[in-house]
Amino acid sequence: MNPIMQAAAARLYEQQQQNDARLLILLRDALLPLGVRAELRDNDTARMIPRPQVGLPVWVFVGYGGGYYSWQSAEKRHPVNDLDGAAQVLADYVSR
């Protein structure tokens, strides 16, 4: 890959990372009114949601090309364009 293509690919990757971080911040803001605390982790690439009872925390990522929030090893997912729905599904999931 020539230097121009490398620079373009690096910039595109950086933009995707920034967009993913923004989506995770929006998710945190949508979870707060539902009483769910979510911490941004791993260089802004994931949200960690502790369970209210005993259990491992749930790690949420932006995946599938930026189109979905995903968790449970990507077995569960919800579209990022339905932020309130994603927050509700996650709140229900962590409260089990």
Side-chain angles (χ1 to χ4, degrees):
M1 186 180 299
N2 69 42
I4 294 172
M5 293 297 290
Q6 283 181 320
R11 179 69 179 140
L12 185 61
Y13 177 77
E14 181 182 311
Q15 287 174 339
Q16 184 64 47
Q17 292 297 103
Q18 290 174 349
N19 188 54
D20 291 355
R22 182 185 62 80
L23 290 168
L24 290 168
I25 290 167
L26 291 171
L27 180 62
R28 179 207 56 203
D29 294 345
L31 286 166
L32 284 174
L34 300 174
V36 177
R37 182 175 54 90
E39 302 171 16
L40 196 57
R41 295 296 187 104
D42 292 341
N43 299 327
D44 300 342
T45 60
R47 277 263 165 226
M48 184 193 75
I49 304 173
R51 293 185 183 267
Q53 305 298 322
V54 176
L56 294 172
V58 175
W59 289 87
V60 181
F61 302 87
V62 175
Y64 298 95
Y68 290 88
Y69 294 109
S70 62
W71 61 100
Q72 191 181 326
S73 301
E75 290 178 16
K76 304 284 187 184
R77 65 179 182 252
H78 197 89
V80 297
N81 62 3
D82 179 18
L83 185 59
D84 293 331
Q88 188 61 57
V89 168
L90 277 162
D92 293 343
Y93 183 79
V94 297
S95 67
R96 292 188 214 161

